[in-house]
């Protein structure tokens, strides 16, 4: 088996793993009252007060739907791009919380089901960002069912 | 091809929405209030548009400082604010749990807030003491409460459940430090200066257009 094939398998597995993470992250927030996520957002003390409600409403749906798109290989590059932006923004928010030493002990990334510290979340996010970037830039090297991406042809 | 993709995308979204709808139904707590209202632990006008929900620990020094600050804020917004208190005794403060039980016993004799103030204003006395029960009884007698009734309540441990439930409510909201102050149940307030908290209250008043 040549190296290209291994990369293909690796990227496809990464797509499944990241898709699953985002589906679960979005779903766990969506089945809980949005107040939970509003409180989580407000703890990071960076999103303007007037935008907390709308952010708490939108982000879980984006995570959930785009995560499912990535998992199923539908609009893969576009999905990877959206999730890159989302994860990149969260990465910045996490970093500022760590630098400012805000009293946040759990990231609240997965509702109340999986509890991660900011440091753990930062490490996992670094890995997710790296893999998303690989998926985004190496579309033609992965097993995709996508038909709209020019690179998949 | 575009039609096929649209159909595929649309199908995925519909399926996902259905899963969430079913998830919300089976999850059970989606429509339930996260926080139970406890009117006897609410200070200020009951129909005030803004609620400051406080998760606090009687043995925590910062909680004691916040108590004074909250009284000042309540005085500044007498018609707009109510304060709801919730127990959140930390594991590192075992005496705070007993103190919370004592405050709940005082509530049986309509003395919750007076007892609560005594606990905070005499914090070092009872936290440093080895005679916790006696001191708590002394506070009850200071407030002219029925001491034997209070003592029986304290010894029975029947208020443990209320304190534990308060703590569980806080844990559901990822609270694990005290004091935690929540504005209208959707924003955690950073405990900065009094002015900063007042600004947030003003913003909330504007948001809800009062």
């Amino acid at each position: 088996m040549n190296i290209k094939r291994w990369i293909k398998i690796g990227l496809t597995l990464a797509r499944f793993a990241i898709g699953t993470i985002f589906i679960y992250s979005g779903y766990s927030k969506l089945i809980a009252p949005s107040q939970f996520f509003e409180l989580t957002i407000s703890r990071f003390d960076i999103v303007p007060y007037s935008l907390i409600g709308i952010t708490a409403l939108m982000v879980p749906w984006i995570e959930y739907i785009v995560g499912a798109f990535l998992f199923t290989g539908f609009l893969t590059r576009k999905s990877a791009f959206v999730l890159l932006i989302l994860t990149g923004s969260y990465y910045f928010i996490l970093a500022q919380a760590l630098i400012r030493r805000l009293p946040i002990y759990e990231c609240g990334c997965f509702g109340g089901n999986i509890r991660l510290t900011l440091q753990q979340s930062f490490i996992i996010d670094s890995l997710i960002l790296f893999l998303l970037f690989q998926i985004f830039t190496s579309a033609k090297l992965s097993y995709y069912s996508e038909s709209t991406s020019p690179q998949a042809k | 091809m575009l039609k096929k993709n649209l159909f595929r995308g649309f199908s995925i979204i519909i399926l996902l929405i259905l899963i969430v709808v079913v998830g919300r139904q089976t999850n059970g707590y989606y429509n339930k209030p996260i926080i139970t209202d406890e009117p006897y632990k609410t200070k200020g006008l009951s129909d005030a548009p803004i609620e400051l929900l406080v998760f606090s620990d009687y043995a925590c020094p910062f909680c004691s400082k916040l108590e004074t600050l909250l009284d000042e804020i309540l005085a500044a917004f007498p018609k707009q604010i109510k304060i709801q208190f919730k127990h959140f005794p930390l594991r590192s403060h075992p005496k705070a749990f007993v103190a919370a039980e004592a405050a709940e016993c005082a509530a049986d004799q309509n003395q919750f807030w007076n007892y609560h103030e005594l606990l905070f204003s005499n914090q070092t006395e009872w936290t440093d003491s080895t005679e916790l029960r006696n001191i708590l009884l002394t506070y009850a007698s200071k407030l002219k409460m029925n001491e034997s009734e209070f003592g029986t309540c304290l010894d029975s441990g029947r208020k443990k459940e209320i304190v534990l439930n308060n703590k569980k409510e806080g844990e559901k909201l990822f609270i694990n430090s005290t004091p935690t102050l929540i504005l209208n149940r959707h924003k955690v307030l950073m405990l900065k200066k009094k002015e900063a908290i007042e600004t947030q209250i003003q913003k909330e008043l504007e948001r809800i257009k009062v």
Side-chain angles (χ1 to χ4, degrees):
Chain A
M1 203 187 281
N2 63 26
I3 192 134
K4 255 190 175 179
R5 194 168 163 78
W6 280 114
I7 292 173
K8 266 189 178 185
I9 293 171
L11 284 175
T12 310
L13 288 177
R15 188 165 59 81
F16 286 148
I18 294 173
T20 307
I21 289 172
F22 277 99
I23 292 169
Y24 184 71
S25 172
Y27 179 76
S28 60
K29 289 174 196 124
L30 286 170
I31 59 163
S34 66
Q35 269 179 358
F36 282 128
F37 194 43
E38 285 177 4
L39 288 171
T40 303
I41 295 169
S42 73
R43 275 193 179 88
F44 286 91
D45 196 31
I46 192 161
V47 176
Y49 185 47
S50 54
L51 296 180
I52 288 176
I54 189 81
T55 311
L57 202 71
M58 298 291 291
V59 169
W61 280 109
I62 296 172
E63 286 181 314
Y64 183 56
I65 291 174
V66 183
F69 281 0
L70 189 74
F71 184 91
T72 54
F74 178 68
L75 301 177
T76 311
R77 287 193 78 231
K78 291 180 184 77
S79 302
F81 181 72
V82 171
L83 294 179
L84 257 177
I85 301 285
L86 197 69
T87 313
S89 311
Y90 182 58
Y91 201 68
F92 166 74
I93 290 169
L94 264 181
Q96 66 86 31
L98 284 167
I99 292 165
R100 291 167 65 197
R101 295 183 182 180
L102 293 179
I104 309 167
Y105 302 94
E106 286 154 12
C107 72
C109 322
F110 299 100
N113 302 323
I114 299 173
R115 298 183 170 220
L116 298 174
T117 62
L118 295 195
Q119 287 82 356
Q120 288 167 333
S121 179
F122 195 77
I123 293 165
I124 292 171
D125 265 30
S126 306
L127 186 67
I128 290 176
L129 269 178
F130 172 75
L131 292 174
L132 277 172
F133 187 74
Q134 295 306 317
I135 293 169
F136 178 68
T137 54
S138 318
K140 65 181 173 186
L141 287 179
S142 178
Y143 292 110
Y144 294 127
S145 53
E146 186 171 13
S147 50
T148 50
S149 165
Q151 293 191 29
K153 283 171 190 170
Chain B
M1 187 61 76
L2 183 69
K3 257 189 185 175
K4 194 182 163 191
N5 274 329
L6 272 175
F7 178 75
R8 197 171 150 205
F10 191 68
S11 308
I12 294 172
I13 291 172
I14 293 292
L15 180 69
L16 291 172
I17 291 172
L18 279 175
I19 292 170
V20 168
V21 170
V22 173
R24 281 179 181 178
Q25 295 303 318
T26 51
N27 187 321
Y29 79 105
Y30 183 75
N31 292 316
K32 283 184 191 165
I34 307 168
I35 302 294
T36 50
D37 286 313
E38 292 171 303
Y40 68 95
K41 283 196 278 197
T42 306
K43 213 191 254 188
L45 292 176
S46 60
D47 58 349
I50 290 187
E51 180 204 65
L52 290 176
L53 182 64
V54 190
F55 283 88
S56 191
D57 170 325
Y58 285 119
C60 131
F62 288 113
C63 300
S64 178
K65 281 181 188 166
L66 179 71
E67 197 57 25
T68 319
L69 188 71
L70 286 177
D71 283 339
E72 287 171 21
I73 291 171
L74 190 61
F77 299 90
K79 288 181 182 169
Q80 291 100 334
I81 284 182
K82 63 180 169 190
I83 292 166
Q84 169 128 211
F85 183 87
K86 292 278 177 182
H87 302 292
F88 200 86
L90 300 171
R91 273 190 202 159
S92 50
H93 296 153
K95 285 179 185 170
F97 194 99
V98 184
E101 285 182 271
E104 288 295 334
C105 287
D108 284 350
Q109 298 183 48
N110 298 319
Q111 292 287 350
F112 175 81
W113 285 108
N114 291 332
Y115 202 89
H116 165 98
E117 277 164 27
L118 273 180
L119 285 171
F120 274 130
S121 55
N122 298 289
Q123 195 180 59
T124 45
E125 182 188 31
W126 61 267
T127 49
D128 292 344
S129 167
T130 48
E131 302 281 318
L132 180 61
R133 188 182 180 278
N134 287 345
I135 293 185
L136 294 175
L137 284 171
T138 316
Y139 296 160
S141 76
K142 263 188 193 173
L143 295 171
K144 298 188 171 67
M145 286 162 56
N146 182 328
E147 233 179 287
S148 80
E149 206 178 288
F150 178 84
T152 312
C153 169
L154 197 58
D155 297 338
S156 72
R158 65 173 188 253
K159 298 294 180 183
K160 266 194 179 105
E161 203 182 333
I162 297 176
V163 180
L164 283 172
N165 282 341
N166 275 201
K167 199 169 178 190
K168 274 182 198 160
E169 287 177 346
E171 283 167 346
K172 269 188 189 174
L173 300 173
F174 304 113
I175 288 168
N176 57 6
S177 65
T178 56
T180 297
L181 194 56
I182 300 176
L183 178 66
N184 270 357
R185 302 192 184 185
H186 73 107
K187 182 170 169 57
V188 176
L189 291 180
M190 293 293 139
L191 295 171
K192 298 171 189 167
K193 287 179 183 170
K194 181 187 160 201
E195 292 74 26
I197 296 176
E198 286 181 342
T199 308
Q200 294 289 348
I201 291 168
Q202 286 291 2
K203 281 186 184 172
E204 179 70 355
L205 284 170
E206 282 164 26
R207 191 181 73 89
I208 56 178
K209 294 188 178 83
V210 174

